[in-house]
Structures are given as structure tokens and as C-alpha cells.
Amino acid sequence: MKNFISAHDVPDIDGLVKSALAYKADPFKDKSLGANKRIGMLFLNPSMRTRLSTQIAAQNLGAEPIVFNVDKEGWALEFEEEAIMSGNKVEHVKDAAPIMGNYFDILCIRTFPSLKNKEEDYSELYINQFIKYSGIPVVSLESGTLHPLQSLTDIITINEVLGKAPARKPKIVLTWAPHVKALPQAVANSFSQWVTAWGKADFVITHPEDYELDPKFTPGATITHNQDEALKDADFVYVKNWSTYNDYGKIYTNDPEWMLTSEKLKATNNAKVMHCLPVRRNVELSDEILDGPNSIVTQEASNRVWAAQAVLADLLRGTSK
Ligand code: CP
């Protein structure tokens, strides 16, 4: 891999899952792979799981992670080419990124979308400018449209639950859930992209009308507005809110009927319930599910370490600075 931005950067998803599970079994087996290597972690937005798990992963490999909260501690960055910087942006990414390329061996970046300008968000301007100007491998810690470390973790967790030789293809359902804020489509886009690229599941997406995702992320998925129908015989239910894509960044409905409950779960094949976290309890997902036996959200979030470790190890093997 040159960068880790989307499922398309990964030539062998099963190989990466296998590598992650091998790190879970033996976290320090490559403890010298990252010796004398520095991993820059830039946050333009908040994080708990992504930040901590990637730091732990880097340390397990013997590399030194350095966190920089750009949103709170850095200069405001300009990303547009040929910008006349007479506003509140202090430094151009063209000047900052090459310096980071010299300081670090791998650069990891979290940069959320504005949800105001669809063209800009979906062009992935911010992360692409870091790729263009840093000259080192770039890892997405969640970008405008995708969250690949989360999705890799999700595939790892599904594999773990299924075991080595599943009797049949699992049915995986991604269901929209209510939320009080307009949230990015990144986790839903990314989960869809990874499940379809992985290709080992029957994949159904269910959401209210007018919440269609960008079709480029959902090839081959069955899409329905009927949540009850979608949930029938599901083995995994992935719960996530997202704001509208077509009329970009809006909340059209907050219908509590879309919240997953134990009653609704009865239609499934005793499905495991997943969520990337953080979760708004009793808005997105009920207490009874989150605290019940079907929830695997803690296992899922804990697996973030092994996903990050597999990705960083792959990129470290390719670095030769
Ligand atoms: N799931 C996830 O990315 O969590 P954080 O936002 O806390 O990193």
C-alpha cells in the first residue's frame, strides 16, 4: 500500500484482516519494525478511539507517534490552490505538508467534512493535498467521505464473530438511525465500500426516503426504505446516522421509530449489533441493546488497535527513509 485512504488502496482485504488478528494474538511480535520511525498524527477534529488506538498500535510496533491537534494548537491551514490568503488562514498546506514529510515517516490525518459544500467535501481536497505535498504515506483517520480504519475494524470484528469456516454467507444490514445533529456520511459510505469490496456477505442498506448515499460507495447493495423487511434474518446489524447526501448535509427526519430496539431485533438471526461509537444512547440505539448480549460495540472499538497496527506495519515495511 502507498496510502490508506479507502478500500481501493488495499490489494488484499483478507490478508490485512489476517495480519490484524495475528497482532491481536501477539501484539509485540514486530516490536522493532518501527524502530527510529516517527508517525505524525494530525487532528483537525476531535477523537477518542482513533487517536488512542493508533498511538497504541504505533507503540506496539516500536514507532514513536506524535499527536498534533491542529484544530486547537496549530495555524489555520489553507488548502485551495492559488488562494489569496488575506482571510483567517495563516499557512498553506503546500508549505506545511513538506515539512511534516521531513519530520515524519508516516502521516495520519483526521479531517471531517464541512457538510456545507458537497463538491469540496467529496473531492477530499484536504487529505489529497497532504498526499500531494507531504511526499510520505498518508493514513486517513477519517476524512470527508470515508473512515477506512473503522471499516477495516468492522470487517475484522465480523470475521472474528463468524469464525474460520462460516456455514453460509452472512447477511449484514446497515441501518440508518435518528440523531439530533447533522452527521457526515463517512462511516456509512466507508462501511458500504468495504463490505462490498470484501464481497463475502449479502449486504442490505435501509434508511428513510431521501437519505440515499452516494451510489459510488454502494455497488451491489440492496437498498430499501423498509427497515423491518431489511432486518429479517440479519446476522449483523450496523447502526449509524448520517445526514442527507443529495440535498447535502440536512436532517429531514429524526423519527424515533428508526431506533433499533430489542423488539425489532427479534426478526433477525439473533444478530450482533455494531456501531462505530460514540453513540447517543436512546436516540440512535437503545440502552437495552447496548447493554444486552447482542451488542459487540466494545469488541469492535477494541479491535481498532489491531486494524491500525496492521495498516501501519504494512506502510512501515514499505518506507525506506
Ligand atoms: N469511531 C471513532 O472513530 O471514534 P473516535 O471519533 O472517538 O475516534
Side-chain angles (χ1 to χ4, degrees):
M1 281 191 301
K2 275 172 68 182
N3 301 295
F4 184 77
I5 307 300
S6 100
H8 302 312
D9 292 314
V10 182
D12 177 10
I13 291 179
D14 283 326
L16 204 56
V17 168
K18 201 171 156 197
S19 167
L21 290 172
Y23 282 125
K24 185 166 186 172
D26 187 0
F28 304 109
K29 71 189 178 79
D30 285 328
K31 64 175 187 288
S32 7
L33 182 63
N36 306 320
K37 304 282 186 191
R38 282 191 210 96
I39 297 180
M41 295 174 57
L42 310 189
F43 286 88
L44 283 80
N45 307 96
S47 168
M48 190 269 262
R49 280 146 288 269
T50 307
R51 173 178 170 151
L52 296 177
S53 61
T54 309
Q55 279 183 283
I56 294 166
Q59 286 167 346
N60 286 351
L61 294 166
E64 184 184 1
I66 295 179
V67 174
F68 180 27
N69 295 310
V70 181
D71 56 340
K72 297 181 191 72
E73 298 154 359
W75 300 116
L77 288 174
E78 175 63 64
F79 289 89
E80 290 290 347
E81 296 289 345
E82 297 174 20
I84 298 169
M85 292 174 56
S86 56
N88 58 359
K89 304 287 175 61
V90 178
E91 179 159 36
H92 203 284
V93 67
K94 229 173 178 169
D95 301 309
I99 299 165
M100 293 177 189
N102 286 340
Y103 290 164
F104 301 122
D105 298 278
I106 294 172
L107 196 54
C108 308
I109 301 158
R110 167 163 283 201
T111 160
F112 287 171
S114 65
L115 293 182
K116 293 189 175 77
N117 182 334
K118 178 156 80 172
E119 283 67 39
E120 185 179 284
D121 291 346
Y122 273 67
S123 75
E124 293 286 12
L125 175 70
Y126 289 15
I127 208 149
N128 282 328
Q129 291 290 62
F130 273 108
I131 291 172
K132 185 172 173 186
Y133 291 116
S134 69
I136 57 173
V138 171
V139 174
S140 167
L141 301 175
E142 188 171 343
S143 67
T145 65
L146 293 168
H147 194 355
L149 280 173
Q150 180 64 52
S151 308
L152 173 58
T153 306
D154 299 332
I155 301 288
I156 291 165
T157 308
I158 289 167
N159 268 277
E160 223 177 7
V161 170
L162 288 174
K164 279 205 164 58
R168 60 179 174 80
K169 248 187 176 184
K171 178 177 175 183
I172 301 178
V173 177
L174 167 63
T175 180
W176 183 91
H179 201 286
V180 291
K181 269 183 72 183
L183 296 189
Q185 297 93 33
V187 170
N189 286 342
S190 197
F191 186 70
S192 304
Q193 186 196 52
W194 279 74
V195 171
T196 52
W198 181 52
K200 293 188 173 170
D202 292 324
F203 184 45
V204 180
I205 303 173
T206 183
H207 55 71
E209 280 183 37
D210 300 320
Y211 275 82
E212 278 71 24
L213 295 166
D214 181 343
K216 81 174 177 214
F217 297 118
T218 62
T222 303
I223 300 169
T224 170
H225 301 141
N226 186 333
Q227 191 192 43
D228 292 335
E229 187 64 33
L231 291 173
K232 270 185 202 156
D233 302 322
D235 299 294
F236 295 89
V237 182
Y238 200 99
V239 179
K240 185 72 186 93
N241 170 269
W242 61 89
S243 59
T244 53
Y245 166 71
N246 288 321
D247 179 21
Y248 193 54
K250 305 281 190 314
I251 300 179
Y252 279 178
T253 176
N254 205 7
D255 185 355
E257 280 300 307
W258 275 84
M259 185 175 76
L260 191 67
T261 59
S262 294
E263 188 55 36
K264 287 187 186 184
L265 214 53
K266 285 180 186 164
T268 70
N269 183 29
N270 197 23
K272 297 296 182 198
V273 178
M274 306 177 74
H275 189 288
C276 62
L277 305 180
V279 63
R280 299 248 183 172
R281 278 177 176 255
N282 304 311
V283 176
E284 281 180 274
L285 251 176
S286 59
D287 276 342
E288 57 179 358
I289 296 225
L290 281 165
D291 300 331
N294 292 70
S295 169
I296 54 169
V297 299
T298 305
Q299 177 182 354
E300 185 185 354
S302 305
N303 281 339
R304 292 291 306 267
V305 172
W306 319 116
Q309 196 163 336
V311 168
L312 293 178
D314 187 292
L315 294 174
L316 283 167
R317 287 194 183 95
T319 59
S320 56
K321 263 172 72 177

